[in-house]
Coordinates of all heavy atoms in Angstrom, one line a residue:
K728 N -2.5 -16.1 -38.6 CA -2.8 -15.9 -37.1 C -4.2 -15.4 -37.0 O -4.7 -14.6 -37.8 CB -1.8 -14.8 -36.6 CG -0.5 -15.2 -36.2 CD 0.3 -14.1 -35.5 CE 1.3 -14.6 -34.7 NZ 2.1 -13.6 -34.0
S729 N -4.8 -15.7 -35.9 CA -6.1 -15.3 -35.6 C -6.1 -14.0 -34.8 O -5.1 -13.7 -34.1 CB -6.9 -16.3 -34.7 OG -6.3 -16.6 -33.5
P730 N -7.1 -13.1 -34.9 CA -7.1 -11.8 -34.2 C -7.3 -12.2 -32.7 O -7.7 -13.2 -32.3 CB -8.4 -11.2 -34.7 CG -9.2 -12.2 -35.3 CD -8.3 -13.3 -35.6
P731 N -6.6 -11.1 -31.9 CA -6.7 -11.4 -30.5 C -8.2 -11.4 -30.0 O -9.1 -10.8 -30.5 CB -6.0 -10.2 -29.9 CG -5.9 -9.1 -31.0 CD -6.0 -9.9 -32.3
A732 N -8.4 -12.2 -28.9 CA -9.7 -12.4 -28.4 C -10.2 -11.0 -27.7 O -9.4 -10.4 -27.0 CB -9.7 -13.5 -27.4
H733 N -11.4 -10.7 -27.8 CA -12.0 -9.6 -27.2 C -12.5 -9.9 -25.8 O -13.2 -10.8 -25.8 CB -13.1 -8.9 -28.1 CG -13.7 -7.7 -27.5 ND1 -13.1 -6.5 -27.4 CD2 -15.0 -7.6 -27.0 CE1 -13.9 -5.7 -26.9 NE2 -15.1 -6.3 -26.6
L734 N -12.2 -9.1 -24.9 CA -12.7 -9.4 -23.6 C -13.9 -8.6 -23.3 O -14.0 -7.4 -23.7 CB -11.7 -9.0 -22.5 CG -10.3 -9.8 -22.4 CD1 -9.4 -9.3 -21.4 CD2 -10.7 -11.3 -22.1
G735 N -14.9 -9.1 -22.6 CA -16.1 -8.4 -22.4 C -16.0 -7.6 -21.1 O -14.9 -7.6 -20.4
P736 N -17.0 -6.8 -20.8 CA -17.0 -5.9 -19.6 C -16.8 -6.7 -18.3 O -16.0 -6.2 -17.4 CB -18.2 -5.1 -19.6 CG -19.0 -5.4 -20.9 CD -18.2 -6.6 -21.6
L737 N -17.4 -7.8 -18.2 CA -17.3 -8.6 -17.0 C -15.8 -9.1 -16.8 O -15.3 -9.2 -15.6 CB -18.2 -9.8 -16.9 CG -19.7 -9.3 -16.6 CD1 -20.6 -10.5 -16.7 CD2 -19.8 -8.6 -15.4
A738 N -15.1 -9.5 -17.9 CA -13.8 -10.0 -17.8 C -12.9 -8.8 -17.4 O -12.0 -8.9 -16.6 CB -13.4 -10.5 -19.1
H739 N -13.2 -7.7 -18.0 CA -12.4 -6.5 -17.6 C -12.6 -6.2 -16.0 O -11.6 -5.7 -15.4 CB -12.7 -5.2 -18.4 CG -12.0 -5.2 -19.8 ND1 -12.8 -5.1 -20.9 CD2 -10.8 -5.3 -20.1 CE1 -11.9 -5.2 -22.0 NE2 -10.8 -5.3 -21.6
L740 N -13.8 -6.1 -15.7 CA -14.1 -5.9 -14.2 C -13.4 -6.9 -13.3 O -12.8 -6.5 -12.3 CB -15.6 -6.0 -14.0 CG -16.2 -5.6 -12.6 CD1 -15.8 -4.2 -12.3 CD2 -17.7 -5.9 -12.5
A741 N -13.4 -8.2 -13.7 CA -12.7 -9.2 -12.9 C -11.2 -9.1 -12.9 O -10.6 -9.2 -11.9 CB -13.1 -10.6 -13.5
A742 N -10.7 -8.7 -14.1 CA -9.3 -8.6 -14.1 C -8.8 -7.3 -13.2 O -7.8 -7.4 -12.6 CB -8.8 -8.3 -15.6
A743 N -9.6 -6.3 -13.3 CA -9.2 -5.0 -12.6 C -9.4 -5.3 -11.1 O -8.6 -4.9 -10.3 CB -10.1 -3.8 -13.0
A744 N -10.4 -6.2 -10.7 CA -10.7 -6.4 -9.3 C -9.6 -7.3 -8.7 O -9.0 -7.0 -7.7 CB -12.0 -7.0 -9.1
Q745 N -9.1 -8.2 -9.5 CA -8.0 -9.2 -9.1 C -6.7 -8.3 -9.0 O -5.9 -8.6 -8.0 CB -7.9 -10.3 -10.1 CG -8.9 -11.3 -10.1 CD -8.8 -12.3 -11.2 OE1 -8.0 -12.1 -12.1 NE2 -9.6 -13.3 -11.1
A746 N -6.5 -7.5 -9.8 CA -5.2 -6.7 -9.8 C -5.2 -5.7 -8.6 O -4.2 -5.6 -7.9 CB -5.1 -5.8 -11.1
G747 N -6.5 -5.2 -8.3 CA -6.6 -4.4 -7.1 C -6.3 -5.1 -5.9 O -5.7 -4.5 -4.9
V748 N -6.9 -6.2 -5.8 CA -6.7 -7.2 -4.5 C -5.3 -7.5 -4.4 O -4.8 -7.4 -3.2 CB -7.7 -8.4 -4.5 CG1 -7.2 -9.4 -3.5 CG2 -9.1 -7.9 -4.5
V749 N -4.5 -7.9 -5.4 CA -3.2 -8.2 -5.3 C -2.3 -6.9 -4.9 O -1.5 -7.1 -4.0 CB -2.7 -8.9 -6.6 CG1 -1.1 -8.8 -6.7 CG2 -3.3 -10.2 -7.0
C750 N -2.6 -5.8 -5.4 CA -2.0 -4.7 -5.1 C -2.2 -4.3 -3.6 O -1.2 -4.0 -2.9 CB -2.5 -3.5 -5.9 SG -1.7 -1.9 -5.7
C751 N -3.4 -4.4 -3.1 CA -3.7 -4.2 -1.7 C -3.0 -5.2 -0.9 O -2.4 -4.8 0.3 CB -5.2 -4.4 -1.4 SG -6.2 -3.0 -1.9
L752 N -2.9 -6.4 -1.2 CA -2.2 -7.5 -0.3 C -0.7 -7.2 -0.3 O -0.1 -7.4 0.7 CB -2.5 -8.8 -0.8 CG -3.9 -9.3 -0.7 CD1 -4.1 -10.7 -1.5 CD2 -4.2 -9.5 0.8
L753 N -0.1 -6.6 -1.4 CA 1.4 -6.4 -1.4 C 1.7 -5.1 -0.7 O 2.8 -5.0 -0.2 CB 1.8 -6.4 -2.9 CG 1.8 -7.8 -3.6 CD1 2.2 -7.5 -5.1 CD2 2.7 -8.8 -2.9
T754 N 0.9 -4.1 -0.8 CA 1.2 -2.7 -0.3 C 0.7 -2.5 1.0 O 1.2 -1.5 1.7 CB 0.8 -1.7 -1.3 OG1 -0.6 -1.7 -1.4 CG2 1.5 -1.8 -2.6
N755 N -0.3 -3.2 1.6 CA -0.9 -2.8 2.9 C 0.2 -2.7 4.0 O 0.2 -1.9 4.8 CB -1.9 -3.9 3.2 CG -2.9 -3.3 4.4 OD1 -3.7 -2.4 4.2 ND2 -2.6 -3.7 5.7
P756 N 1.1 -3.7 4.1 CA 2.1 -3.6 5.2 C 3.0 -2.3 5.0 O 3.3 -1.6 5.9 CB 3.1 -4.8 5.0 CG 2.1 -5.8 4.3 CD 1.3 -5.0 3.5
I757 N 3.3 -1.9 3.8 CA 4.0 -0.6 3.5 C 3.2 0.7 4.1 O 3.7 1.5 4.8 CB 4.3 -0.5 2.1 CG1 5.2 -1.6 1.6 CG2 5.0 0.9 1.8 CD1 5.4 -1.8 0.1
W758 N 1.9 0.6 3.7 CA 1.1 1.8 4.1 C 1.0 1.9 5.6 O 0.9 2.8 6.3 CB -0.3 1.7 3.5 CG -0.1 2.2 2.0 CD1 -0.3 1.3 0.9 CD2 0.1 3.4 1.5 NE1 -0.1 2.0 -0.2 CE2 0.0 3.3 0.1 CE3 0.4 4.6 2.1 CZ2 0.4 4.4 -0.8 CZ3 0.6 5.7 1.2 CH2 0.6 5.5 -0.2
L759 N 0.7 0.6 6.3 CA 0.7 0.5 7.7 C 1.9 1.1 8.4 O 1.8 1.8 9.3 CB 0.4 -1.0 8.1 CG 0.3 -1.1 9.6 CD1 -1.2 -1.3 10.0 CD2 1.1 -2.2 10.2
V760 N 3.0 0.6 7.9 CA 4.3 1.1 8.7 C 4.5 2.6 8.4 O 4.8 3.4 9.2 CB 5.5 0.3 8.0 CG1 6.8 1.0 8.5 CG2 5.5 -1.1 8.5
K761 N 4.2 3.1 7.2 CA 4.3 4.5 6.9 C 3.4 5.3 7.8 O 3.8 6.4 8.4 CB 3.8 4.7 5.4 CG 3.8 6.2 5.0 CD 3.1 6.4 3.7 CE 2.7 7.8 3.5 NZ 1.7 8.3 4.2
T762 N 2.2 4.8 8.0 CA 1.2 5.6 8.9 C 1.7 5.5 10.2 O 1.6 6.6 10.9 CB -0.2 4.9 8.7 OG1 -0.6 5.0 7.4 CG2 -1.2 5.6 9.7
R763 N 2.1 4.4 10.7 CA 2.6 4.3 12.1 C 3.9 5.2 12.4 O 4.0 5.9 13.4 CB 3.0 2.9 12.5 CG 1.8 2.0 12.6 CD 1.5 1.4 13.8 NE 0.5 0.4 13.8 CZ 0.5 -0.8 14.4 NH1 1.6 -1.2 14.9 NH2 -0.6 -1.5 14.2
L764 N 4.8 5.3 11.4 CA 5.9 6.2 11.5 C 5.5 7.7 11.6 O 6.0 8.4 12.4 CB 6.9 6.0 10.4 CG 7.7 4.7 10.4 CD1 8.4 4.4 9.1 CD2 8.8 4.7 11.5
E765 N 4.5 8.1 10.8 CA 4.0 9.4 10.8 C 3.4 9.7 12.1 O 3.4 10.9 12.5 CB 3.1 9.7 9.6 CG 3.8 9.7 8.2 CD 2.8 9.8 7.1 OE1 1.6 9.5 7.3 OE2 3.3 10.0 6.0
L766 N 2.6 8.8 12.7 CA 1.8 9.1 13.8 C 2.5 8.8 15.2 O 1.9 9.0 16.2 CB 0.6 8.2 13.8 CG -0.4 8.6 12.6 CD1 -1.7 7.6 12.6 CD2 -0.8 10.0 12.7
Q767 N 3.7 8.5 15.2 CA 4.4 8.2 16.4 C 4.7 9.4 17.2 O 5.0 9.4 18.4 CB 5.7 7.3 16.2 CG 6.8 8.0 15.6 CD 7.9 7.1 15.4 OE1 8.0 5.9 15.9 NE2 9.0 7.5 14.7
Q768 N 4.6 10.6 16.5 CA 4.8 11.8 17.3 C 3.5 12.5 17.6 O 2.6 12.6 16.7 CB 5.6 12.8 16.5 CG 5.9 14.0 17.3 CD 7.0 14.8 16.6 OE1 7.7 14.4 15.6 NE2 7.4 16.0 17.1
N769 N 3.1 12.6 18.9 CA 1.8 13.2 19.2 C 1.6 14.7 18.9 O 2.6 15.3 18.5 CB 1.7 13.1 20.8 CG 1.7 11.6 21.2 OD1 1.3 10.8 20.5 ND2 2.1 11.4 22.4
L770 N 0.5 15.1 18.9 CA 0.2 16.5 18.5 C 0.9 17.5 19.4 O 1.3 18.6 19.0 CB -1.4 16.8 18.7 CG -2.2 16.0 17.5 CD1 -3.6 16.4 17.8 CD2 -1.8 16.5 16.1
G771 N 1.1 17.2 20.7 CA 1.8 18.1 21.6 C 3.3 18.1 21.3 O 4.1 18.8 22.0
G772 N 3.8 17.3 20.5 CA 5.2 17.2 20.2 C 6.0 16.1 21.0 O 7.1 15.9 20.7
A773 N 5.3 15.5 21.9 CA 5.9 14.4 22.7 C 6.0 13.1 21.9 O 5.1 12.8 21.2 CB 5.1 14.2 24.0
R774 N 7.2 12.5 22.0 CA 7.3 11.2 21.2 C 6.9 10.1 22.0 O 6.8 10.1 23.2 CB 8.7 11.0 20.8 CG 9.3 12.1 19.8 CD 10.7 11.8 19.3 NE 10.8 10.7 18.5 CZ 10.5 10.6 17.3 NH1 10.0 11.6 16.6 NH2 10.7 9.5 16.5
S775 N 6.5 9.0 21.5 CA 6.1 7.8 22.1 C 7.2 7.3 22.8 O 8.4 7.5 22.5 CB 5.4 6.8 21.1 OG 6.5 6.4 20.1
P776 N 6.9 6.5 23.9 CA 8.1 6.0 24.8 C 9.1 5.1 24.1 O 10.2 5.1 24.4 CB 7.4 5.3 25.9 CG 5.9 5.1 25.4 CD 5.7 6.2 24.4
D777 N 8.6 4.3 23.1 CA 9.5 3.5 22.4 C 9.3 3.6 20.9 O 8.7 2.8 20.2 CB 9.3 2.0 22.7 CG 10.3 1.1 22.1 OD1 11.3 1.5 21.9 OD2 10.0 -0.1 22.0
P778 N 9.9 4.8 20.3 CA 9.6 5.0 18.9 C 10.3 4.2 17.9 O 11.4 3.5 18.3 CB 10.2 6.6 18.7 CG 11.2 6.6 19.8 CD 10.7 5.7 20.9
Y779 N 9.8 4.0 16.8 CA 10.4 3.2 15.7 C 11.5 4.1 15.2 O 11.5 5.2 15.1 CB 9.4 2.9 14.6 CG 8.2 2.2 15.0 CD1 6.9 2.8 14.8 CD2 8.2 0.9 15.5 CE1 5.7 2.0 15.1 CE2 7.1 0.2 15.9 CZ 5.8 0.8 15.7 OH 4.7 0.1 16.0
R780 N 12.6 3.3 14.9 CA 13.9 4.0 14.5 C 13.9 4.2 12.9 O 14.7 4.9 12.4 CB 15.1 3.3 14.8 CG 15.3 3.3 16.4 CD 16.5 2.7 16.8 NE 16.7 1.3 16.4 CZ 16.4 0.3 17.1 NH1 16.0 0.4 18.3 NH2 16.7 -1.0 16.7
G781 N 13.0 3.5 12.2 CA 13.0 3.6 10.8 C 12.0 2.6 10.2 O 11.4 1.8 11.0
F782 N 11.9 2.4 8.9 CA 10.9 1.6 8.3 C 11.2 0.1 8.6 O 10.3 -0.7 9.0 CB 11.0 1.7 6.7 CG 10.0 1.0 6.1 CD1 8.7 1.4 5.8 CD2 10.4 -0.3 5.5 CE1 7.8 0.7 5.1 CE2 9.4 -1.1 4.8 CZ 8.1 -0.6 4.7
I783 N 12.5 -0.4 8.5 CA 12.8 -1.7 8.8 C 12.5 -2.1 10.2 O 12.0 -3.2 10.5 CB 14.2 -2.1 8.3 CG1 14.5 -1.8 6.9 CG2 14.6 -3.6 8.7 CD1 13.6 -2.7 5.9
H784 N 13.0 -1.2 11.1 CA 12.6 -1.5 12.6 C 11.2 -1.6 12.9 O 10.8 -2.4 13.6 CB 13.3 -0.3 13.4 CG 13.2 -0.5 14.8 ND1 12.3 0.4 15.5 CD2 13.6 -1.4 15.7 CE1 12.3 0.0 16.8 NE2 13.2 -1.0 17.1
A785 N 10.4 -0.7 12.3 CA 9.0 -0.6 12.5 C 8.4 -1.8 11.9 O 7.6 -2.5 12.6 CB 8.4 0.6 11.9
L786 N 8.7 -2.3 10.7 CA 8.3 -3.4 10.1 C 8.5 -4.8 11.0 O 7.6 -5.5 11.3 CB 8.8 -3.7 8.7 CG 8.3 -4.8 7.8 CD1 6.9 -4.5 7.4 CD2 9.2 -4.9 6.6
S787 N 9.7 -4.8 11.4 CA 10.2 -6.0 12.2 C 9.5 -6.0 13.5 O 9.1 -7.0 14.1 CB 11.6 -6.2 12.3 OG 12.2 -5.0 13.0
T788 N 9.3 -4.9 14.2 CA 8.7 -4.7 15.5 C 7.2 -5.1 15.4 O 6.7 -5.8 16.3 CB 8.9 -3.3 16.1 OG1 10.3 -3.0 16.1 CG2 8.3 -3.1 17.5
I789 N 6.5 -4.6 14.4 CA 5.1 -4.8 14.3 C 4.9 -6.3 14.0 O 4.0 -7.0 14.6 CB 4.5 -4.1 13.1 CG1 4.5 -2.5 13.5 CG2 3.1 -4.6 12.9 CD1 4.2 -1.6 12.4
A790 N 5.8 -6.9 13.2 CA 5.7 -8.3 12.9 C 5.9 -9.2 14.1 O 5.3 -10.2 14.3 CB 6.6 -8.7 11.7
A791 N 7.0 -8.8 14.9 CA 7.3 -9.5 16.0 C 6.2 -9.5 17.3 O 5.9 -10.4 17.8 CB 8.6 -9.0 16.6
H792 N 5.7 -8.3 17.4 CA 4.7 -8.1 18.4 C 3.2 -8.3 18.1 O 2.5 -8.8 19.0 CB 4.8 -6.6 18.9 CG 6.1 -6.4 19.7 ND1 6.7 -5.1 19.8 CD2 7.0 -7.2 20.3 CE1 7.8 -5.2 20.4 NE2 8.1 -6.4 20.8
E793 N 2.9 -8.2 17.0 CA 1.4 -8.3 16.5 C 1.3 -9.4 15.5 O 0.2 -9.8 15.1 CB 1.0 -7.0 15.9 CG 1.1 -5.9 16.8 CD 0.6 -4.5 16.1 OE1 -0.3 -4.5 15.4 OE2 1.3 -3.5 16.4
G794 N 2.4 -9.9 15.0 CA 2.4 -11.0 14.0 C 2.0 -10.6 12.6 O 1.9 -9.4 12.3
L795 N 2.0 -11.6 11.7 CA 1.6 -11.3 10.4 C 0.3 -10.6 10.2 O 0.1 -9.7 9.4 CB 1.6 -12.6 9.5 CG 1.5 -12.4 8.0 CD1 2.6 -11.5 7.4 CD2 1.4 -13.8 7.4
R796 N -0.7 -10.9 11.1 CA -2.0 -10.3 11.1 C -1.9 -8.8 11.4 O -2.7 -8.1 10.9 CB -2.8 -11.0 12.1 CG -4.3 -10.8 12.0 CD -5.0 -11.6 13.0 NE -6.5 -11.3 12.9 CZ -7.4 -12.2 12.9 NH1 -7.1 -13.4 12.8 NH2 -8.6 -11.7 12.8
G797 N -1.0 -8.4 12.3 CA -0.8 -7.0 12.6 C -0.4 -6.2 11.4 O -0.8 -5.0 11.3
L798 N 0.4 -6.7 10.4 CA 0.7 -6.0 9.2 C -0.4 -5.7 8.2 O -0.2 -5.0 7.3 CB 1.9 -6.8 8.5 CG 3.1 -6.8 9.2 CD1 4.1 -7.8 8.5 CD2 3.8 -5.4 9.4
Y799 N -1.6 -6.4 8.4 CA -2.6 -6.4 7.5 C -3.9 -5.7 8.2 O -5.0 -5.8 7.7 CB -3.0 -7.6 6.9 CG -2.0 -8.1 5.9 CD1 -0.9 -8.9 6.2 CD2 -2.1 -7.6 4.6 CE1 0.0 -9.2 5.3 CE2 -1.2 -7.9 3.7 CZ -0.1 -8.7 4.0 OH 0.9 -9.1 3.1
R800 N -3.6 -4.9 9.3 CA -4.7 -4.1 10.0 C -5.2 -3.1 8.8 O -4.3 -2.4 8.2 CB -4.2 -3.4 11.2 CG -4.0 -4.4 12.3 CD -3.7 -3.5 13.6 NE -3.3 -4.3 14.7 CZ -4.1 -5.1 15.3 NH1 -5.3 -5.1 15.2 NH2 -3.5 -5.8 16.4
G801 N -6.4 -2.8 8.8 CA -6.9 -2.0 7.8 C -7.1 -2.4 6.5 O -7.4 -1.7 5.5
L802 N -6.9 -3.7 6.1 CA -7.0 -4.2 4.9 C -8.4 -4.2 4.3 O -8.7 -4.0 3.1 CB -6.5 -5.7 4.9 CG -6.4 -6.4 3.5 CD1 -5.5 -5.7 2.5 CD2 -6.0 -7.8 3.6
G803 N -9.4 -4.5 5.2 CA -10.8 -4.5 4.9 C -11.3 -3.3 4.1 O -11.8 -3.3 3.0
P804 N -11.1 -2.1 4.6 CA -11.5 -0.8 4.0 C -10.8 -0.7 2.6 O -11.3 -0.2 1.6 CB -11.1 0.3 4.9 CG -11.2 -0.3 6.2 CD -10.7 -1.7 6.0
S805 N -9.5 -1.1 2.6 CA -8.8 -1.0 1.3 C -9.3 -1.9 0.3 O -9.4 -1.5 -0.9 CB -7.3 -1.4 1.5 OG -6.6 -0.5 2.3
L806 N -9.8 -3.1 0.6 CA -10.4 -4.0 -0.4 C -11.7 -3.6 -0.8 O -12.1 -3.8 -1.9 CB -10.5 -5.5 0.3 CG -9.2 -6.1 0.6 CD1 -9.5 -7.5 1.3 CD2 -8.5 -6.5 -0.7
L807 N -12.4 -2.8 0.1 CA -13.7 -2.2 -0.4 C -13.5 -1.2 -1.5 O -14.4 -1.1 -2.4 CB -14.5 -1.6 0.8 CG -15.0 -2.5 1.8 CD1 -15.6 -1.7 3.0 CD2 -16.0 -3.5 1.1
L808 N -12.4 -0.4 -1.4 CA -12.1 0.6 -2.4 C -11.7 0.0 -3.7 O -11.6 0.8 -4.8 CB -11.1 1.6 -1.9 CG -11.5 2.4 -0.7 CD1 -10.4 3.2 -0.1 CD2 -12.7 3.2 -1.0
V809 N -11.3 -1.2 -3.7 CA -10.9 -1.9 -5.0 C -12.1 -1.8 -6.2 O -11.8 -1.6 -7.2 CB -10.5 -3.4 -4.8 CG1 -10.4 -4.1 -6.1 CG2 -9.2 -3.5 -4.1
S810 N -13.3 -1.9 -5.6 CA -14.4 -1.9 -6.5 C -14.4 -0.5 -7.4 O -14.8 -0.6 -8.5 CB -15.8 -2.1 -5.8 OG -15.9 -1.0 -5.0
H811 N -14.1 0.6 -6.7 CA -14.0 1.8 -7.5 C -13.0 1.8 -8.7 O -13.5 2.1 -9.8 CB -13.7 2.9 -6.5 CG -13.6 4.3 -7.2 ND1 -12.4 4.8 -7.7 CD2 -14.5 5.1 -7.4 CE1 -12.6 6.0 -8.1 NE2 -13.9 6.3 -8.0
G812 N -11.9 1.3 -8.5 CA -10.9 1.2 -9.5 C -11.4 0.1 -10.6 O -11.1 0.5 -11.8
A813 N -12.0 -0.8 -10.2 CA -12.4 -1.9 -11.2 C -13.5 -1.4 -12.1 O -13.4 -1.7 -13.3 CB -12.8 -3.1 -10.4
I814 N -14.4 -0.7 -11.5 CA -15.5 -0.1 -12.3 C -15.0 0.9 -13.2 O -15.3 1.0 -14.4 CB -16.6 0.5 -11.4 CG1 -17.3 -0.6 -10.6 CG2 -17.5 1.3 -12.2 CD1 -18.2 -0.1 -9.5
Q815 N -14.0 1.8 -12.7 CA -13.4 2.8 -13.6 C -12.6 2.2 -14.8 O -12.7 2.6 -15.9 CB -12.4 3.7 -12.9 CG -12.9 4.9 -12.3 CD -11.8 5.7 -11.7 OE1 -10.8 5.2 -11.2 NE2 -12.0 7.1 -11.9
F816 N -11.9 1.1 -14.5 CA -11.0 0.4 -15.5 C -12.1 -0.2 -16.6 O -11.8 -0.1 -17.9 CB -10.2 -0.7 -15.0 CG -9.4 -1.4 -15.9 CD1 -8.3 -0.8 -16.5 CD2 -9.8 -2.6 -16.3 CE1 -7.6 -1.5 -17.6 CE2 -9.0 -3.4 -17.3 CZ -7.9 -2.7 -17.9
S817 N -13.2 -0.8 -16.1 CA -14.1 -1.4 -17.1 C -14.7 -0.4 -17.9 O -14.9 -0.6 -19.1 CB -15.1 -2.2 -16.2 OG -14.6 -3.3 -15.6
A818 N -15.1 0.7 -17.3 CA -15.8 1.8 -18.1 C -14.8 2.4 -19.1 O -15.2 2.7 -20.3 CB -16.2 2.9 -17.1
Y819 N -13.5 2.6 -18.7 CA -12.5 3.1 -19.6 C -12.3 2.2 -20.8 O -12.3 2.6 -21.9 CB -11.2 3.2 -18.9 CG -10.1 3.5 -19.8 CD1 -9.9 4.8 -20.3 CD2 -9.2 2.5 -20.1 CE1 -8.8 5.0 -21.1 CE2 -8.0 2.8 -20.9 CZ -7.9 4.0 -21.5 OH -6.8 4.3 -22.3
E820 N -12.2 0.8 -20.5 CA -12.1 0.0 -21.7 C -13.3 -0.1 -22.6 O -13.1 -0.2 -23.8 CB -11.8 -1.4 -21.2 CG -10.4 -1.7 -20.5 CD -9.3 -1.5 -21.5 OE1 -9.5 -1.8 -22.6 OE2 -8.3 -1.0 -21.1
R821 N -14.4 0.0 -22.1 CA -15.6 0.1 -22.9 C -15.7 1.3 -23.7 O -16.0 1.3 -24.9 CB -16.9 0.0 -22.0 CG -18.2 0.1 -22.7 CD -18.4 -1.1 -23.6 NE -19.7 -1.0 -24.2 CZ -19.9 -1.0 -25.5 NH1 -18.9 -1.3 -26.3 NH2 -21.0 -0.9 -26.1
I822 N -15.4 2.5 -23.2 CA -15.4 3.8 -23.8 C -14.3 3.8 -24.9 O -14.5 4.3 -26.0 CB -15.3 5.0 -22.9 CG1 -16.5 5.1 -22.0 CG2 -15.0 6.3 -23.6 CD1 -16.4 6.0 -20.9
K823 N -13.2 3.2 -24.6 CA -12.0 3.1 -25.5 C -12.4 2.4 -26.8 O -11.9 2.8 -27.8 CB -10.8 2.6 -24.8 CG -9.5 2.6 -25.6 CD -8.4 2.1 -24.8 CE -8.3 0.7 -24.7 NZ -7.1 0.1 -24.2
S824 N -13.2 1.3 -26.6 CA -13.5 0.5 -27.8 C -14.7 1.2 -28.6 O -15.0 0.6 -29.7 CB -14.0 -0.8 -27.3 OG -15.2 -0.7 -26.7
L825 N -15.2 2.3 -28.2 CA -16.4 2.9 -29.1 C -15.8 3.6 -30.3 O -14.7 4.1 -30.4 CB -17.1 3.9 -28.2 CG -17.9 3.3 -27.0 CD1 -18.7 4.4 -26.3 CD2 -19.0 2.3 -27.6

């Protein structure tokens, strides 16, 4: 058997960035619904006129009223933060090999 191929820093950076993007795409709807559920009660204690009854109700309501695009609001800033994790992972892999 031949030894396993060694990945360079750019390959680690690309792999970490891809993993981060996939993670953002899969979890953004969950974070959006969580945030909306937390914020449906105003600071004064008054509830919104048509509150979400739970996670599934909020998810289906957002999808029905705002479409698939509505579930991905705020995705841009999340994708910008992927670079931080990708750089950390690349640095970790480099330091680990020293």
Side-chain angles (χ1 to χ4, degrees):
K728 278 187 162 181
S729 62
H733 176 72
L734 296 177
L737 288 178
H739 281 126
L740 185 66
Q745 288 173 349
V748 168
V749 169
C750 182
C751 283
L752 291 173
L753 293 175
T754 60
N755 197 77
I757 296 168
W758 288 109
L759 179 104
V760 170
K761 174 192 167 293
T762 302
R763 295 240 183 130
L764 285 168
E765 289 175 344
L766 295 177
Q767 72 180 352
Q768 187 166 352
N769 295 333
L770 291 176
R774 293 184 68 81
S775 60
D777 189 22
Y779 301 120
R780 294 187 301 266
F782 183 84
I783 300 298
H784 179 251
L786 186 68
S787 61
T788 302
I789 294 166
H792 292 154
E793 301 175 39
L795 186 61
R796 197 175 172 130
L798 292 173
Y799 285 94
R800 289 189 190 278
L802 181 64
S805 295
L806 290 175
L807 289 176
L808 294 175
V809 164
S810 62
H811 178 264
I814 292 169
Q815 266 190 321
F816 181 74
S817 296
Y819 169 77
E820 287 297 323
R821 176 70 180 126
I822 291 169
K823 189 172 80 170
S824 68
L825 294 178

